[in-house]
Every structure is written in C-alpha cells, then in structure tokens.
Amino acid sequence: MEFVFPVLLIAVALLAVVTLAKAVRIVPQQRQDVVERLGRYKRTLNPGLNVLVPFVDAVRTKVDMREQVVSFPPQPVITSDNLVVSIDTVLYFKVVDSVRATYEISNFLQAIEQLTVTTLRNVIGSLDLERALTSREEINRHLSGVLDETTGRWGIKVTRVEIKAIEPPPSIRDSMEKQMRAERDRRAAILNAEGHKQSQILSAEGEKQAAVLRADGDRQARILQAEGQAKAIRTVFDAIHTANPSQKVLAYQYLQALPQIANGTANKVWIVPAELTKALEGMGGALGGLSQMVGDAPSPQASDDASAVEREAAEAAQAAAAAAEEIHNEVRVAEAQATGGKKPQGLPAPEPISAESLVNDPADQRERG
C-alpha cells in the first residue's frame, strides 16, 4: 500500500499533462487546423493559441494557406494535325477555404492535376502544332479560366498556369530546325543584298560628289588661269605702251618671226598675197632710212651696236627672202597642178625679191613701194 499512492500520483500527473497537451493547440502563421468533435466538424483553428476539449475535439487536417506551386510530369497530347507532343505544365494555386478543401474533395492536388491534363488535351487538340507552339498565352488563359471555375467549389484558387515546354517528336524537330536554318539563310542573303545595295548607292554618291568637286576645282583653276593670262596680257600691253617702241624694233621683230613661220612642219601650202613683196620692200626701206630720220640718229657709243643690229637685220632679211622665194615656188607648183599645166588667166605674179633689196634699201624701191 505504501507504493500504490505514489504510483497513482504519478498517473494523475501524467494524465494531467496529456490532457493539457490535448487541450492546448498552437497554430503557426499561414495555417489553419480543421477541428472535429466526435467525428463532426466543429470549428477551424486560426494562427495562435487555441484551447480544445481534450479527448473530445480532434484536429482533422492541417491546411497550408500559402500559395503553392506544383509541377506536373510531361503529358502526351495529340494536336489537330495528328502529331503527338509532350507538354510540361506548372500550376500555382492557393487554398482560400480550408473547410471546403477538406470536405468537398478527398485529394484536391490530384484532382487539379487530372483536370489540368484533360483541359490541356481539349485545348491542344483543337490547335495544330505551329499554332500550339506560338499560342502559349492563349492556352494559359484558357487553362486558368477552366481550373479557376472548377476548383472554386473546392475552396481552391488557381492563380496561374504556365506551360514550361512543348516537345514535338524528334523528326518534327529536325524538320523545324531545317526550316529555321533555311529562314535564317534567307534573311542573311537579304541582309547581304541590302548591304551591297547600300554600299553601291554610297559609292555612287561619293563618286558623284567627287566628280562635282573635281569639276568645280577645274572650273576655279581655269578661271584663275584665265585671270592670270588676262593680267599678264594687260601687263605686257601696258609695258609696250609705256616703252613706246620705234618702228625699227617692230620691223626687226617681224623679220625674226618670218623664218619660224616658214619652217613650220605643218605648213604644206601657203597663199602669199601680192602685197607681201611690197611690204617687205617697204620694211627694207624703213631699215635703211631709219638712221636718217630726225631725232633717231645713232650716238657714237651705239655705232658698234647699230652695226651688229644691221648685220642681224641683214641675215634676217636674207632668211625671210629665201622663205618667200620658197613659198613663191610652192605656190607656182600648186597653181600648175590645179590648172593642169595651163597658165591661169589673172593678175601677173609678183616679181621675186632678193635679200639685197631688203638690206640695201634703194630709194627707188621705196618709191615703187
């Protein structure tokens, strides 16, 4: 009897502890516990400290109220063009009513999975492969609407449905890769052609601008060259008028130019006017009589220079006379060839002149001239 009382005391203490443990329930945040009393729904425990009737109330389920994500395994689906594709989906859902999620359906997660598969097959079955690959947003919206409407009575809120992957058969993938490769090659060829076109256009524009600039530069150069030549001619003209050269200098320059005119390689036929001999005679008289002109007598210091000038004038006159004689002969030969050997009717040919007539300058020649 001595040991019975302590044992009973210990048993009472254990019963009190167990009773207290069953009576007090602490529920964490974002969770709800469904409580049954004698097998019937009694109440829902919210987060915090809750007190139950021990051995009468029992927790049926502990429902997580947070948003959950579940990934379903790939499901084979047949498209409208009779191709089997494998579709992998991801579902986001949230329990909004723990009581209905507990008593309306036995396993809401399995039910959501099967509902997603059947809805997906209905949606994909009405689309061909190309449209199914490019209409993921439309498929997601359709799935979300159907699942949200069906799972609403279960106390489940489907927030989002996403299709992770749509895998066509390997043969179809190879064909699609070839098609995409051909499309990329076509785009690359188009881009290359566009680049070549732009390059040609830019090159043509550059050549056009370069030609315009070259033409403008050539025009400016010609204008500057013409202005320079005009300025040079004006300067020479002003210098000649300022110097006021005498007739002797002009006659000497003319006699020096005659041999150069006669020696031209392109001068095949010369037409000598009849007044040429008289002009040469008058020039010779001018060379001979310039020394006797008033105010143009040579100075004693310039006597040697004058004799040198006279010698050069005599040589120039001889060369001019020879050239005139040669030209006169060529003219006669040309006339003979033109008339067929007959003497043309007309003015008599001028008499040939000699170099002495140009240098000695007799007074009677000047009178005839």
Side-chain angles (χ1 to χ4, degrees):
M1 295 297 294
E2 294 179 357
F3 296 101
V4 174
F5 183 75
V7 172
L8 291 176
L9 185 60
I10 293 173
V12 171
L14 289 175
L15 181 61
V17 171
V18 172
T19 302
L20 182 62
K22 287 184 173 293
V24 177
R25 177 73 63 177
I26 298 176
V27 180
Q29 186 68 30
Q30 290 294 327
R31 200 185 79 179
Q32 289 182 354
D33 294 349
V34 178
V35 178
E36 293 180 348
R37 178 172 292 180
L38 300 176
R40 186 177 180 180
Y41 171 74
K42 178 61 179 176
R43 65 191 178 113
T44 302
L45 301 181
N46 294 320
L49 180 62
N50 297 274
V51 179
L52 302 177
V53 178
F55 305 107
V56 177
D57 294 341
V59 176
R60 169 70 183 272
T61 56
K62 299 176 181 179
V63 181
D64 191 353
M65 305 301 292
R66 295 174 298 178
E67 186 174 0
Q68 303 179 42
V69 56
V70 58
S71 177
F72 300 135
Q75 300 292 328
V77 180
I78 301 176
T79 60
S80 62
D81 49 356
N82 297 324
L83 293 176
V84 179
V85 295
S86 180
I87 299 180
D88 190 4
T89 57
V90 178
L91 180 67
Y92 297 85
F93 68 95
K94 182 180 180 180
V95 178
V96 294
D97 192 345
S98 59
V99 177
R100 297 173 67 180
T102 303
Y103 294 103
E104 294 292 336
I105 190 168
S106 61
N107 190 345
F108 63 85
L109 188 60
Q110 184 179 4
I112 291 175
E113 180 181 358
Q114 297 300 322
L115 182 61
T116 302
V117 171
T118 55
T119 306
L120 191 61
R121 287 177 177 174
N122 292 333
V123 174
I124 299 298
S126 61
L127 303 175
D128 55 4
L129 178 60
E130 185 176 358
R131 188 177 176 187
L133 293 174
T134 58
S135 303
R136 293 193 178 188
E137 293 294 334
E138 181 181 354
I139 297 173
N140 293 336
R141 287 195 301 269
H142 194 279
L143 284 174
S144 297
V146 172
L147 292 175
D148 190 28
E149 181 182 359
T150 305
T151 59
R153 64 177 180 268
W154 300 340
I156 308 296
K157 174 65 176 177
V158 177
T159 57
R160 190 177 183 86
V161 180
E162 290 291 341
I163 297 178
K164 289 199 301 184
I166 300 178
E167 297 292 338
S171 59
I172 301 300
R173 286 201 301 268
D174 295 339
S175 300
M176 293 172 63
E177 290 177 359
K178 292 180 180 178
Q179 181 181 1
M180 293 302 298
R181 190 179 301 111
E183 182 68 21
R184 290 189 181 95
D185 293 339
R186 183 182 68 86
R187 292 178 181 177
I190 292 175
L191 291 177
N192 290 331
E194 288 291 337
H196 183 68
K197 175 184 176 182
Q198 293 294 330
S199 175
Q200 293 293 331
I201 291 175
L202 293 177
S203 299
E205 289 290 338
E207 293 178 357
K208 174 184 176 182
Q209 293 180 3
V212 171
L213 292 176
R214 283 195 296 269
D216 186 65
D218 188 29
R219 181 178 65 86
Q220 294 291 338
R222 290 177 180 272
I223 291 174
L224 294 176
Q225 186 178 4
E227 291 178 354
Q229 291 179 355
K231 186 175 181 180
I233 293 173
R234 186 164 55 251
T235 304
V236 172
F237 183 76
D238 294 340
I240 292 174
H241 279 272
T242 302
N244 193 14
S246 63
Q247 296 294 329
K248 183 190 297 184
V249 176
L250 295 178
Y252 178 67
Q253 292 293 331
Y254 184 78
L255 290 176
Q256 284 185 336
L258 283 179
Q260 297 178 1
I261 296 175
N263 290 331
T265 56
N267 298 331
K268 301 302 180 181
V269 178
W270 287 81
I271 300 175
V272 181
E275 290 82 2
L276 179 60
T277 56
K278 295 181 179 181
L280 292 176
E281 292 176 0
M283 195 174 301
L287 289 174
L290 283 176
S291 59
Q292 300 177 1
M293 293 178 63
V294 179
D296 197 19
S299 62
Q301 296 178 356
S303 59
D304 295 336
D305 295 336
S307 60
V309 172
E310 289 179 357
R311 286 195 299 269
E312 291 179 2
E315 293 176 358
Q318 291 179 359
E325 182 67 23
E326 184 178 356
I327 292 170
H328 185 70
N329 294 332
E330 290 179 358
V331 170
R332 288 187 176 181
V333 172
E335 290 178 354
Q337 292 178 355
T339 57
K342 297 180 180 180
K343 187 175 181 181
Q345 299 295 329
L347 295 175
E351 296 179 358
I353 61 176
S354 61
E356 290 77 3
S357 62
L358 294 175
V359 178
N360 295 331
D361 189 21
D364 55 353
Q365 291 181 359
R366 287 200 303 271
E367 293 176 358
R368 275 185 300 178

